[in-house]
Amino acid sequence: MIPFRHLLRSMPLLTLLLATPAPAASPDSRTTIDLAAEASRPATNDLARATVFAEATGVTPSDLSRRINGLISDGLRTARSYSSIKTQSGATHSYPVYGKGGKIENWRMRSELTLESSDTGALSELLGKLQASMGVASLAMLPAPETRRKAESEAMLDALAAFRARAKIIAEALGKAYRIRHLSINSSGRPPVVPIMRAAALASADAAPMPIEGGDTQISANISGQIELLE
């Protein structure tokens, strides 16, 4: 049996323990919910990018190089007359063509130019001229960087609004308040490159301007994140 005087000495500690409130629930024990939302906006394809090439076969690499370099030089000279078109040298490849017995019969060489412009009329006219001696490997229409950034920002705001709306619906259905714990934002939307297989040997000397239609690219913003329900 505990002496009465010992019980009295332990009373302040007992009183303190009884008066101490229970610890609050740890944030880690609160309910969390993963959510995702997506939105998209159209971006005008106001930038055209084309790749043209000169390709030929020759007996010797030096002869072949002179022919291809001459075609590329003529193409550059024609392209430089269009101030609204950005022109850049592209890849150049040369390789042997083997015959029977593994002997080199000929050499083949291909050299490219990249053309880029927001003036689709000028680019269409230039491509028509270049097809007299060169082929068109590809033509792609895409949004200019500023146009794309504007559509990305608008799509991102729409996606954020959709995320918050979903979070609110879920929290209200459960009778809780909520806070956003974290968010991850990504955007996408790349127009396909349209291949145009036209050999230089088949090009007409009086080729008409190449038809170009811009269209739109859908720029999407994807939001994924997590909300925490509050007591």
Side-chain angles (χ1 to χ4, degrees):
M1 185 172 182
I2 301 175
F4 182 71
R5 62 178 179 276
H6 291 168
L7 183 60
L8 288 176
R9 283 199 295 268
S10 66
M11 284 295 291
L13 177 59
L14 181 60
T15 302
L16 179 61
L17 290 173
L18 292 174
T20 302
S26 169
D28 293 336
S29 66
R30 292 174 180 166
T31 301
T32 58
I33 299 172
D34 295 328
L35 289 178
E38 180 181 355
S40 61
R41 286 291 185 102
T44 302
N45 292 329
D46 50 3
L47 183 66
R49 184 177 295 152
T51 299
V52 296
F53 66 93
E55 188 172 31
T57 302
V59 177
T60 64
S62 58
D63 175 63
L64 186 58
S65 177
R66 282 192 294 270
R67 289 168 58 192
I68 293 298
N69 289 342
L71 291 171
I72 291 296
S73 295
D74 290 343
L76 284 171
R77 192 177 303 111
T78 303
R80 289 188 186 115
S81 64
Y82 291 83
S83 59
S84 61
I85 298 176
K86 178 182 177 182
T87 307
Q88 181 177 327
S89 297
T92 296
H93 307 283
S94 61
Y95 51 91
V97 178
Y98 295 95
K100 295 181 179 180
K103 182 180 178 181
I104 297 176
E105 290 186 344
N106 289 298
W107 287 83
R108 192 159 189 82
M109 183 175 180
R110 174 182 171 124
S111 190
E112 298 178 345
L113 291 177
T114 300
L115 310 171
E116 186 178 275
S117 180
S118 58
D119 186 346
T120 56
L123 183 61
S124 172
E125 182 179 294
L126 174 59
L127 289 174
K129 291 180 179 180
L130 292 178
Q131 286 182 88
S133 58
M134 304 179 74
V136 180
S138 65
L139 172 64
M141 294 298 302
L142 62 157
E146 183 177 348
T147 304
R148 181 182 179 86
R149 282 193 295 269
K150 183 175 183 295
E152 280 181 341
S153 297
E154 292 172 349
M156 181 181 64
L157 291 175
D158 290 346
L160 282 169
F163 184 93
R164 294 186 64 182
R166 289 185 178 182
K168 182 180 179 182
I169 289 172
I170 293 173
E172 288 181 348
L174 296 173
K176 303 285 186 179
Y178 77 94
R179 72 180 182 91
I180 296 174
R181 294 195 68 176
H182 66 81
L183 289 174
S184 177
I185 303 174
N186 295 289
S187 63
S188 63
R190 297 288 181 184
V193 176
V194 181
I196 307 173
M197 304 308 294
R198 299 189 182 183
L202 299 179
S204 171
D206 56 350
M210 178 177 289
I212 297 177
E213 180 65 37
D216 294 330
T217 293
Q218 289 294 321
I219 305 297
S220 299
N222 301 279
I223 306 259
S224 59
Q226 189 178 76
I227 64 171
E228 179 183 280
L229 299 182
L230 305 176
E231 297 300 328

